[in-house]
């Protein structure tokens, strides 16, 4: 390798230098360094114009310091119109919740029977034909149930009456 380097350096010393071109040389110096044809005529260097025309540059369309913005995403496809389903029919009207429970019954000294119903903490004495707060009417009072009727819808309901306990003999 060392020998190859020595040989190439020696060859570089014997080869004549070409005139340097570039900035820093006056046009007259370049013309003097330009090769001449054998007849003494100037070569190709004299064919160049002394001054190049000024080029017009367009304003830049891209700022290299900002970077490239990705293209905006494609909009999602428009949803297909769906045929509207017919509205569900309104729910059938229902009678209000029956909030009463059987509490007890009593027969007074005149022989009239009173039936007691409880609603939360309130006690209500009911008789046949009586209208309760929710709109129920007492239709019948029997030994096993109290039948109620809800006139606006024609609905019927019943409150069970537990069997009476036999009096204990002591």
């Amino acid at each position: 390798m060392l020998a190859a380097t020595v040989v190439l350096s020696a060859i570089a010393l014997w080869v004549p230098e070409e005139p340097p071109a570039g900035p820093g040389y006056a046009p007259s110096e370049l013309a003097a360094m330009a090769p001449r044809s054998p007849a003494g005529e100037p070569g190709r260097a004299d064919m160049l114009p002394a001054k190049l025309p000024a080029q017009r540059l367009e304003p830049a369309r891209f700022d290299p310091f900002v970077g490239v913005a990705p293209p905006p995403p494609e909009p999602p496809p428009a949803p297909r119109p769906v045929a509207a389903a017919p509205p569900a029919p309104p729910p059938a009207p229902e009678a209000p919740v029956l909030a009463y429970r059987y509490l007890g019954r009593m027969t007074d000294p005149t022989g009239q029977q009173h039936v007691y119903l409880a609603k939360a903490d309130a006690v209500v004495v009911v008789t046949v034909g009586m209208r309760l707060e929710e709109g129920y009417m007492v239709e019948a009072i029997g030994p096993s149930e109290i039948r109620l009727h809800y006139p606006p819808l024609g609905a019927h309901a019943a409150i069970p009456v537990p069997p009476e306990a036999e009096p204990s003999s002591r």
Side-chain angles (χ1 to χ4, degrees):
M1 282 277 211
L2 186 57
T5 304
V6 171
V7 170
L8 288 176
S9 297
I11 292 173
L13 288 174
W14 283 327
V15 174
E17 286 187 38
E18 293 186 20
Y25 293 102
S28 60
E29 293 175 351
L30 286 176
M33 290 190 276
R36 301 227 174 227
S37 62
E41 299 173 2
R44 298 181 87 193
D46 288 342
M47 299 172 87
L48 294 175
K51 186 173 183 184
L52 293 175
Q55 294 183 354
R56 292 190 58 111
L57 297 176
E58 294 180 19
R61 288 185 223 138
F62 173 74
D63 186 357
F65 299 105
V66 172
V68 178
E74 293 185 21
R80 292 184 175 179
V82 178
E94 295 181 4
V97 176
L98 189 58
Y100 293 93
R101 60 184 166 79
Y102 178 77
L103 187 62
R105 68 175 71 204
M106 179 185 88
T107 307
D108 67 5
T110 62
Q112 187 176 3
Q113 189 174 30
H114 301 282
V115 177
Y116 297 93
L117 297 180
K119 176 184 177 189
D121 290 338
V123 176
V124 180
V125 179
V126 294
T127 57
V128 175
M130 181 179 170
R131 181 178 291 272
L132 301 176
E133 284 183 18
E134 287 83 10
Y136 285 99
M137 290 190 65
V138 179
E139 199 171 61
I141 299 175
S144 63
E145 70 179 5
I146 299 171
R147 285 186 309 195
L148 304 174
H149 175 68
Y150 188 69
L153 297 178
H156 293 278
I159 298 174
V161 174
E164 290 186 29
E166 303 226 357
S168 61
S169 58
R170 285 193 185 193

